[in-house]
Each structure stands twice: as structure tokens, then as C-alpha cells.
Amino acid sequence: MNAHLQPTGSAYFLTSETQEIERHTLSVLVDNEPGILARVVGLFSARGYNIESLTVSETEHGRRLSRITVVVIATPKTLIQIKLQLERLVPVHKVHDLTAEGASLERELALIKVAGSGDHRAETLRLADAFRAQIVDASVESFVFEVTGKPAKIDSFIALMQPLGLVEVVRTGLAAISRGPQSM
């Protein structure tokens, strides 16, 4: 072995481990009280973490608990920090990383407005049918479709509508739940 390739006893000889950016879906169970959403979002913004998607709703009415679903793109190290900081917030009961825990279901809803006439209108309807998009409003100049499913499905539908007269898109953000009989 050549002398210049031998370990020097320093840790710098080791190859640095790469921290690849990953997409994770976090499910956070919190007390449904004023200001909790602002505190959670403030935690992210104060530390420069970006939120890709955010949904929140009361899910256990009798116990006044809400579930916040947050999609973040971060390195594993940053993700650990996010989870630890969320767990330290007083009204937070549980934090689950649905991505790390395994099989989960993810769905989103989008309302998509498309303008068009003639051949574009017929093609729009054909593609909407193929994606099982529901027509929730129609006029002689436009349609509004409701599309539900995985985010990739919605992204594909939007991409196909772009050249046909896409006007506007509104998305709910991700709703996610783990598979199996156990609760959060």
C-alpha cells in the first residue's frame, strides 16, 4: 500500500457521510387551543425549516385534539431536530414520522380550473375521466374539477391540463394516516 493512501490516524481520513435531503410526512397530535398552529409554524420558520405541505383539523372532538400533518424536506439530522423540538412544545401529545414508520396512506384534494372550447374542451373532459376527476362546476367557457389521490396523480393531471387551458389550482395539502389497527 502506498504511504500517501494509508490512514493517518485522523478522523478526516474517513469518507464523510452524505446527508441527503429526504421528504418526510409528520403527524402531530396537539391540543386544539388558540395559537398552537402559530407555535408549530413559528418553530419551523424560526429555524429556517421549510414546510412543503401543512394540514390541520380537529380529529378527536370529545378530547379537543387536533392532528397537524406536516410534510418537510430535510436531511436526517435536521429531521431529528424538528421532531425533538416539536415534542418539546407543551400542547403536543405525540409526533409520528409516518415516512420512517413504514406503510402509510397519503391523499390530497385539488380544485383545478380549466378554460377552453372546441377540441380542447373535449380533450379536457376525456383526460378528466381518465383521472376520475369530478366536475364540480361547468360553464360554456370553463370547468372546475375536483381531483383526489396521491400528490403525484394530482401533479400529473395538472401537467396535462397546462396546455389545454389551465387557469388556476387550489390544493388542500396532504392528509396522511398509518396503516394497521393501531391509533396514533
Side-chain angles (χ1 to χ4, degrees):
M1 185 176 216
N2 293 339
H4 69 280
L5 294 178
Q6 292 179 357
T8 62
S10 168
Y12 292 107
F13 175 77
L14 302 174
T15 58
S16 63
E17 77 180 64
T18 58
Q19 289 285 317
E20 293 201 22
I21 294 177
E22 302 171 347
R23 178 186 175 275
H24 282 256
T25 302
L26 304 178
S27 188
V28 185
L29 191 63
V30 299
D31 288 337
N32 185 8
E33 61 183 42
I36 182 59
L37 183 59
R39 289 179 66 196
V40 169
V41 171
L43 182 146
F44 280 82
S45 66
R47 289 154 183 86
Y49 305 146
N50 189 38
I51 295 173
E52 291 291 313
S53 173
L54 174 71
T55 59
V56 61
S57 181
E58 188 173 69
T59 56
E60 295 184 35
H61 301 294
R63 294 178 53 206
R64 305 257 324 133
L65 296 175
S66 291
R67 183 183 296 229
I68 300 172
T69 304
V70 184
V71 178
V72 295
I73 296 179
T75 64
K77 182 179 177 181
T78 301
L79 191 63
I80 290 168
Q81 291 174 343
I82 290 170
K83 290 190 291 189
L84 289 173
Q85 290 166 358
L86 281 170
E87 288 169 348
R88 278 185 265 205
L89 288 177
V90 173
V92 172
H93 293 274
K94 295 179 186 174
V95 177
H96 285 272
D97 183 345
L98 296 176
T99 305
E101 291 175 9
S104 64
L105 299 170
E106 297 182 342
R107 295 294 184 268
E108 187 176 10
L109 178 136
L111 297 174
I112 300 163
K113 186 185 294 183
V114 182
S117 59
D119 291 341
H120 283 289
R121 192 169 174 85
E123 181 67 4
T124 299
L125 287 172
R126 187 185 68 73
L127 289 170
D129 185 52
F131 277 80
R132 296 184 181 151
Q134 302 296 311
I135 300 169
V136 294
D137 185 56
S139 71
V140 293
E141 299 170 337
S142 68
F143 293 106
V144 175
F145 297 103
E146 175 186 305
V147 182
T148 59
K150 294 180 180 180
K153 172 188 174 182
I154 294 171
D155 292 341
S156 296
F157 185 73
I158 291 168
L160 289 171
M161 292 297 114
Q162 192 75 43
L164 296 174
L166 180 70
V167 174
E168 190 173 7
V169 176
V170 179
R171 295 175 83 151
T172 61
L174 198 67
I177 194 166
S178 63
R179 291 182 182 264
Q182 67 280 2
S183 124
M184 185 174 168

